[in-house]
Amino acid sequence: MYVNMCGIIGYIGKQKSLSILINGLKTLEYRGYDSAGVAIFNNGKIDIKKSVGQVKVLEKTVKNNINLNSHIGIGHTRWATHGTPNEINAHPHTDCLNRIFVVHNGIIENYKELKEYLQNRGHNFLSDTDTEIVPHLIEDFLKNNKDFNSALLCTLKIIRGTYAFAIIDSENPNTLYAVRFSSPLVIGVGKGENFLASDSSALIGKTKNVIYLNDGEIAEITKDNISITNLEKQKTFPEVTHLEWDLEQAQKGTYEHFMLKEIFEGPDIVLSALRGRLKNKNLVKLGGLEQVANKLNKTKRLLILACGTSYYAGLIGEYLFEEITKIPTEVHFASEFRYQKEPFEKETVAIAISQSGETADTLASIRKAKEHGLLTLGIVNTVGSTIARETDAGVYNHAGPEIGVASTKAFISQLTILILMAVYLSKSNENSYNNTLLQELKKIPKKMQTILNRSDEIEKLAEKYKDYDNFLFLGRRYNYPVALEGALKLKEVSYIHAEGCSAGEMKHGPIAMISEDFPTMAIVPQNNISEKMLSNLEEIKARGGPIFAIATEGDKRITSLANDTFFIPKTIEPLEPLLTVIPLQLLAYYIGTKRGFDVDKPRNLAKSVTVE
Ligand code: G6P
């Protein structure tokens, strides 16, 4: 099992490439950050610089050269898969002649045998990476009098795995090469200049017009032209997508961290997800689903496929869909579903939820669903991303770029879209329950704001709880996935061991852990299941476990049980997660920062997991 979360950047054009590459790498840093490197043309030859650690270390190393007259270059930020994070293993990698320079995201699965083959043919390797075989293979094919393009094509035909490459060749100073197979790569189309990045967020502020490469496509990019061919040498005609994101959205503004900024964006995120989608009489209009509306009317079963936080949003989706649409719904970890031997019934609809639209397991599971003839839908934030393109139809989140590695605003947005989708799919779109739901949904942004306005209360409680080593998160029904998400958030940014549990299951095991050193975060808003929650909390109290509760304003029952309570406004149960998750996101944020961690870039994690 491999994970890869590196970042690629490339530039060709009128500006000085080095500073563009460094800035691009900084915006991509959330994808991986154990080492970084750049290769640029300088006076007819290619210069390379690499360093271990965050991009700022590389920036320092190249500080004196930042204004070099170089108009083409590639850069990379690495998250190690093959070989320890050191300068030698950092990208770019080159061949024996220092002619061809390659940066790579992904894994080359047959690299060992190819490396041995090349070594037997006299090639000298410096690193432990799989990537290094690529420039050597191209070099080897070039020896057989092949031109660069043919040598590249021959290389692509013998490597196996997943990849996105950016390549420059000393003999072709006016061309930047880009290749994609399973790892995302996007070309930013400029005027007299073009950009390349593994993630469109790195292009914000540079250009709004982008081309997403498809699997098996090779792009030859000059400053004025982009030519794309497939592995059969046929020309393809790419679609130019317009990015909506702007620079301000990709900057921290007055916030200390992206995570905090993104939590505070919650009310706007709900509004953006609702914009243009609520019609008169509270009908929901989802333009992206119109083309498949007839098929959707016949849906007999729903499958939700996702990973991480998106999976937890999916679990809430199951409660929503079953309650509102009455359509049986199952949620699967995409990584499990792709290998499951599942019977497929006709009229099942598969819904992928993904912030990035690039998560490898989610993509693979959607491809599997398609192969079995299912209609596939996407709830995706990144416009034009692979999952957005490969699903039959879908709904965009319009949440703007999410930069913090731990997902916060995307979760809020996904829940909002799931509510809209549930109402859309319920055949009685106009019934009174849906009416109440949508009326209440419209009130959610203001209610969220009242929670955010009291973030200092959570900060104080974070101070009190920050030194515990363990946490149990409890919830029921709609708030059970919130408990899972709250525990995940805390783990991700504070490295505290935290378990999310359905409160009813607590007595079947987790209760054994409870002691005065093991606090419980109880999500217990006032609803028709809260009495059961309160009994569970009695059990914890009886065992001396500290309790921190999230409860509904005015609910006095909790005060005698909990050591600390954070009150939230009342709403109807299906909408509670939109409110209950906010204090949990804030708690994770404050505990993480108080423990001294960089919450925007938690260790070992990455934003977009593009390899299995
Ligand atoms: C990674 C991120 C998580 C995210 C998950 C799924 O693990 O760190 O924050 O929830 O991938 O990502 P997706 O882009 O598919 O929602």
Side-chain angles (χ1 to χ4, degrees), residues 306-311 353-360 362 379 382 387 402 404-408 410 414 485 488-489 492 605-609:
C307 300
T309 291
S310 299
Y311 169 79
I353 307 179
S354 176
Q355 187 286 130
S356 61
E358 300 294 352
T359 303
T362 310
I379 299 177
T382 309
I387 294 172
E402 187 179 65
V405 166
S407 183
T408 52
Q414 289 161 347
E485 173 59 10
L488 178 69
K489 253 348 48 123
E492 283 178 308
L605 298 180
K607 185 83 193 139
S608 172
V609 183

Side-chain angles (χ1 to χ4, degrees), residues 395-444:
V395 183
Y396 278 122
N397 292 96
H398 299 308
E402 187 179 65
I403 313 283
V405 166
S407 183
T408 52
K409 68 173 179 176
F411 183 74
I412 296 287
S413 180
Q414 289 161 347
L415 295 184
T416 314
I417 303 286
L418 284 163
I419 295 161
L420 293 181
M421 235 186 202
V423 174
Y424 182 88
L425 290 179
S426 68
K427 299 196 173 94
S428 45
N429 208 334
E430 273 182 278
N431 76 18
S432 69
Y433 181 68
N434 285 352
N435 248 310
T436 315
L437 196 71
L438 294 177
Q439 290 306 338
E440 282 299 315
L441 184 55
K442 285 192 213 158
K443 294 182 199 155
I444 286 290

Side-chain angles (χ1 to χ4, degrees), residues 357-552:
E358 300 294 352
T359 303
D361 283 322
T362 310
L363 177 60
S365 67
I366 252 336
R367 285 180 177 162
K368 176 176 169 183
K370 273 183 112 173
E371 273 165 28
H372 286 83
L374 306 194
L375 178 71
T376 57
L377 307 181
I379 299 177
V380 175
N381 190 33
T382 309
V383 174
S385 55
T386 314
I387 294 172
R389 281 178 294 139
E390 293 204 11
T391 39
D392 296 307
V395 183
Y396 278 122
N397 292 96
H398 299 308
E402 187 179 65
I403 313 283
V405 166
S407 183
T408 52
K409 68 173 179 176
F411 183 74
I412 296 287
S413 180
Q414 289 161 347
L415 295 184
T416 314
I417 303 286
L418 284 163
I419 295 161
L420 293 181
M421 235 186 202
V423 174
Y424 182 88
L425 290 179
S426 68
K427 299 196 173 94
S428 45
N429 208 334
E430 273 182 278
N431 76 18
S432 69
Y433 181 68
N434 285 352
N435 248 310
T436 315
L437 196 71
L438 294 177
Q439 290 306 338
E440 282 299 315
L441 184 55
K442 285 192 213 158
K443 294 182 199 155
I444 286 290
K446 280 212 175 109
K447 293 185 180 177
M448 278 180 162
Q449 195 56 54
T450 65
I451 296 175
L452 291 166
N453 292 346
R454 288 161 44 228
S455 61
D456 56 329
E457 285 177 41
I458 299 280
E459 189 173 359
K460 279 197 200 112
L461 290 168
E463 185 60 42
K464 177 170 171 186
Y465 285 91
K466 73 177 191 328
D467 295 321
Y468 284 98
D469 294 327
N470 300 286
F471 252 96
L472 183 66
F473 283 66
L474 289 186
R476 271 180 184 250
R477 279 177 49 90
Y478 284 91
N479 285 299
Y480 158 50
V482 178
L484 299 177
E485 173 59 10
L488 178 69
K489 253 348 48 123
L490 191 64
K491 277 185 262 202
E492 283 178 308
V493 301
S494 72
Y495 317 142
I496 292 175
H497 163 242
E499 274 190 44
C501 174
S502 141
E505 277 299 295
M506 187 189 65
K507 55 188 168 295
H508 299 294
I511 198 166
M513 300 185 295
I514 295 299
S515 74
E516 59 192 23
D517 300 324
F518 206 123
T520 296
M521 169 52 96
I523 308 155
V524 53
Q526 201 169 21
N527 54 34
N528 57 18
I529 196 88
S530 48
E531 272 188 6
K532 306 275 177 215
M533 272 295 294
L534 293 171
S535 325
N536 297 136
L537 296 185
E538 293 280 5
E539 291 156 18
I540 290 175
K541 196 178 173 204
R543 284 155 186 87
I547 299 173
F548 177 170
I550 310 252
T552 306

